[in-house]
Structures are given as structure tokens and as C-alpha cells.
Amino acid sequence: MIYVDNAATTKLDSNAFEKMKPFLLEDYGNASQPYSFSRNARKALKEARRTIANCINAEEEEIYFTSGGTESNNWVIKCFGADEADKMIITTPIEHHSILNACKKLHKIKYVNINNSGEVNENSLISLLTSYETNKNLYNNSLDCLVSIMYANNEIGTLQNIKRLVQLTHEKGALFHTDAVQAVGHIKIDVKELNVDMLSASAHKFNGPKGIGFLYIKKGTSLSQLIAGGSQENGMRAGTQNISAIVGMAVALKENCENIDANSKHITEVENAFIDKITENKIDFIRNGSINHLPGNVNISIRNSDGEMMLHRLDLMGICVSTGSACDNVNNQVSHVIKAISVPSDYAEGTIRISFGKENTVEDAIFIADSIMKIMQG
Ligand code: PLP
């Protein structure tokens, strides 16, 4: 089997798995209990928080453990700003559904324009922020605004210039959140340099376990609690912490961050081999996304083809790819991202996403390109 759907999820790092085991079988104490049996769990929780903070240049107390990217994103969208203030959100039409669907029910929502590569149009952001400033005065300052723009798109891999977008946002007094679920562990992230107010991450996208993630919240940022209950996570996110998963996440993130340059170089070589081979095979395709993209994310639209059919035919050949977002698997239509970047109609339905990971090889890439050619030849 050749697994090339690493944007959907990744294989658990074996070292992370080994470090998780004792917290399931031996040191299973509740980290909130003061007795000595829970000491190892408490210590592991603290160390994991420190490790994760170091990986993104945050402070320990700015890391809040959650059940993953979906929860982190929902938390931000539903709980930002002062309780009594009215809320406005500026986002892109190509966010993950955990942002888009959370936004729908709650707020005055504005979508920033993007170009056909999926990059945010800065002038469009400035004009939306200017209208926020004007409205804020009408609301006697009781209008809070959040800009939520993903770091790397999960379908087409486009990277945004987050540092610049944060600067524009802060100039108008709004908050900035980035869904960095696809980026953390794959490209270098320094929250101080970016100056983001909040950042979401998910362990299973960087070889950690599923069902665990974190939200970075810059000290002093106004965000209320999403999940009420006990006083875990500094009273901000109730619920007994999943120590083994948290430990696994920290080990996996450290491992990935220490090898980020080598992994990225290798994955880019594999990606280039694939593109060279399908070009050589004379497949009529468009590559979606930007030149500035997540290493390994290859989203192509093949003319007069059917992405769904391609996925199943490749599956029969032992290759796992995706047609777009893993969360869209009940929906066979052209994805919201492919629509938003205006892929021509004779190509759009033939879209597949191949997301190479550190375990893939150049041979895998060539085999996949040849398999696509065989399917196209019927
Ligand atoms: N945000 C992005 C960009 C994603 O790609 C995903 C997962 O596909 C999520 C959020 C949701 O993360 P999780 O699976 O941890 O809930």
C-alpha cells in the first residue's frame, strides 16, 4: 500500500507511541490529584507543555490542550472578544469547515477575496478592516473583530503571508487567529515573530495521536471558556487531561521540528519527481495552489476526468489519495476550495489531492504518476 494522504492524517511516530504507553498502563493517575501516584502524570503534563511551547516559541502558559483542530477552531470562533461586545469575523472562503461552519451560526461574517492560487488579497482585507473600524465607532466601541485566516490550506497547500496579515489586522485593532493545523510540524512556526493572537494545531497531522491538539493563546488575549467544568488548563478548558496523548503529541512535534529542513527537502524531491513524471506522461492537468505551498501537497485537476473514479481506481492499485478534504467524504461535489479558486469546469471534477509525507519515496511518486496514466488510457 502506498499512503499519500498525509494531509488527512499521518502515521503515529513509533517513539511517541513508546512514550505514551506507560501513561495508559502504569502511570494512569489523574494529573489533577495531589498524591504521589499522580506525580509522573503531572510531571509529564508540564514537560509536554514546555516542549510544545518551545517548538513554536511560545510561553508554557500560552498552550492549552484541546481534543484537536476542530475544537481549537470552534473555541476561537465561538468565544473570542469581550462578553458584552457584538462580534464580527473576517475570514476566507477556503477555510476548513471547522471554521466556516462555526462562523455561520454566530456572527457578522465577511469573506476576504482570494486569488486563483488561494492567496489572500491584502487590499480586500484592508477594506474589510476599515469597515470594521467605521462600524466600531457606531457601536460605541462595543464591536470586537477577529480575523481568522488559515496558515496552510488543507486541500491545495497554499501558504499565506501570516506575518503581514497580522500586521494589517493589528493596525485596525482587531485580533488575529490562524488555523495552523496543516503547518505545525511541517514548516517553522515562531508565534512571537508572527505576532498572532491565537493559533490552532492538531497532533495527528504531525505524526502524533488522534483526538488531541492545542490552542496557542497569546497572554492577555480575550477568549472565554468553551467547555465548562473543572479547573484544568488554567480554568480555560475543563476535562481530565489525556496524558498519554499529550505526551505522544509533544514527542512527535519535537521530532518533526528537529528534522523540519531535512523532511521538507526530501518531501519536495518526491513531489518534484511526481510532477516531472505526470508532465512527461502528457497528462492534461492543472496544478492548483500557489508556488508558495506546503511541501508535499499536490492538488491536481485532470481534464475530462472524475476525481472520485480516480480515487477508487488508485485504491484498487493500492494507492491512497484524496479528492480534497477528508471531512468532505460524504459530499461528492466539487469542493468549496476548488470552486473558490475558479478551476475551469472541464478540469474541476477531475481533482485529486496527493499529500506526500516523510515516509514516501521517489519510487512511490513515479509509480503513482504511471498508475494515473494507466487509468487515463483506460
Ligand atoms: N483545520 C485544518 C486546516 C485541517 O486540515 C483539519 C483536519 O483535516 C482540521 C482543522 C481539523 O482538525 P482535527 O482533525 O484535529 O479536528
Side-chain angles (χ1 to χ4, degrees), residues 164-378:
R164 170 82 182 132
L165 301 176
V166 171
Q167 191 195 340
L168 295 173
T169 300
H170 285 169
E171 276 167 14
K172 304 285 186 190
L175 287 172
F176 194 98
H177 163 252
T178 185
D179 171 357
V181 163
Q182 292 289 335
V184 170
H186 300 284
I187 52 174
K188 282 180 193 147
I189 305 257
D190 179 329
V191 289
K192 292 205 171 73
E193 200 200 325
L194 293 172
N195 201 17
V196 288
D197 300 298
M198 290 169 278
L199 175 146
S200 303
S202 174
H204 74 101
K205 307 288 186 180
F206 52 77
N207 306 96
K210 294 173 181 53
I212 191 77
F214 65 89
L215 179 65
Y216 157 80
I217 311 175
K218 184 163 62 182
K219 256 183 265 170
T221 304
S222 175
L223 186 76
S224 56
Q225 193 185 56
L226 176 68
I227 297 178
S231 59
Q232 294 92 349
E233 299 302 297
N234 208 14
M236 286 287 280
R237 199 278 186 182
T240 303
Q241 285 107 342
N242 184 345
I243 304 299
S244 69
I246 290 169
V247 167
M249 170 162 68
V251 173
L253 184 57
K254 185 162 182 270
E255 167 74 22
N256 266 19
C257 287
E258 282 172 355
N259 295 296
I260 230 158
D261 289 334
N263 287 344
S264 166
K265 184 169 174 283
H266 168 71
I267 293 170
T268 304
E269 272 165 23
V270 175
E271 173 188 323
N272 290 343
F274 173 78
I275 294 293
D276 289 350
K277 192 69 187 169
I278 41 167
T279 308
E280 187 189 310
N281 286 351
K282 299 205 166 24
I283 309 262
D284 184 353
F285 74 98
I286 298 173
R287 178 158 189 193
N288 301 312
S290 158
I291 294 175
N292 193 17
H293 67 271
L294 205 57
N297 184 308
V298 182
N299 187 302
I300 54 169
S301 297
I302 303 172
R303 186 155 180 264
N304 294 335
S305 180
D306 175 346
E308 206 59 30
M309 173 279 290
M310 187 64 77
L311 181 153
H312 292 295
R313 296 283 302 273
L314 287 170
D315 188 21
L316 291 172
M317 296 163 133
I319 302 165
C320 294
V321 303
S322 152
T323 48
S325 168
C327 317
D328 251 3
N329 62 359
V330 284
N331 193 346
N332 288 344
Q333 293 158 2
V334 172
S335 86
H336 67 293
V337 176
I338 295 303
K339 278 187 193 144
I341 60 168
S342 308
V343 175
S345 57
D346 48 341
Y347 287 84
E349 280 177 20
T351 301
I352 55 168
R353 177 190 68 186
I354 296 165
S355 44
F356 294 107
K358 58 188 180 184
E359 305 204 336
N360 292 120
T361 62
V362 165
E363 288 71 39
D364 291 345
I366 290 169
F367 182 75
I368 298 166
D370 285 342
S371 302
I372 292 174
M373 187 176 71
K374 278 190 197 138
I375 294 169
M376 290 306 291
Q377 286 170 342

Side-chain angles (χ1 to χ4, degrees), residues 18-67:
E18 289 307 320
K19 295 276 166 42
M20 289 169 71
K21 277 202 277 192
F23 296 99
L24 293 165
L25 300 172
E26 296 142 31
D27 290 316
Y28 55 82
N30 186 320
S32 300
Q33 292 294 38
Y35 42 66
S36 50
F37 176 54
S38 286
R39 194 179 297 139
N40 283 348
R42 278 198 305 278
K43 199 166 154 245
L45 182 63
K46 190 166 170 46
E47 275 172 14
R49 205 183 301 279
R50 187 181 314 133
T51 302
I52 288 170
N54 286 344
C55 287
I56 59 165
N57 196 23
E59 306 298 319
E60 265 173 72
E61 58 277 20
E62 294 174 322
I63 303 296
Y64 295 85
F65 296 123
T66 66
S67 64

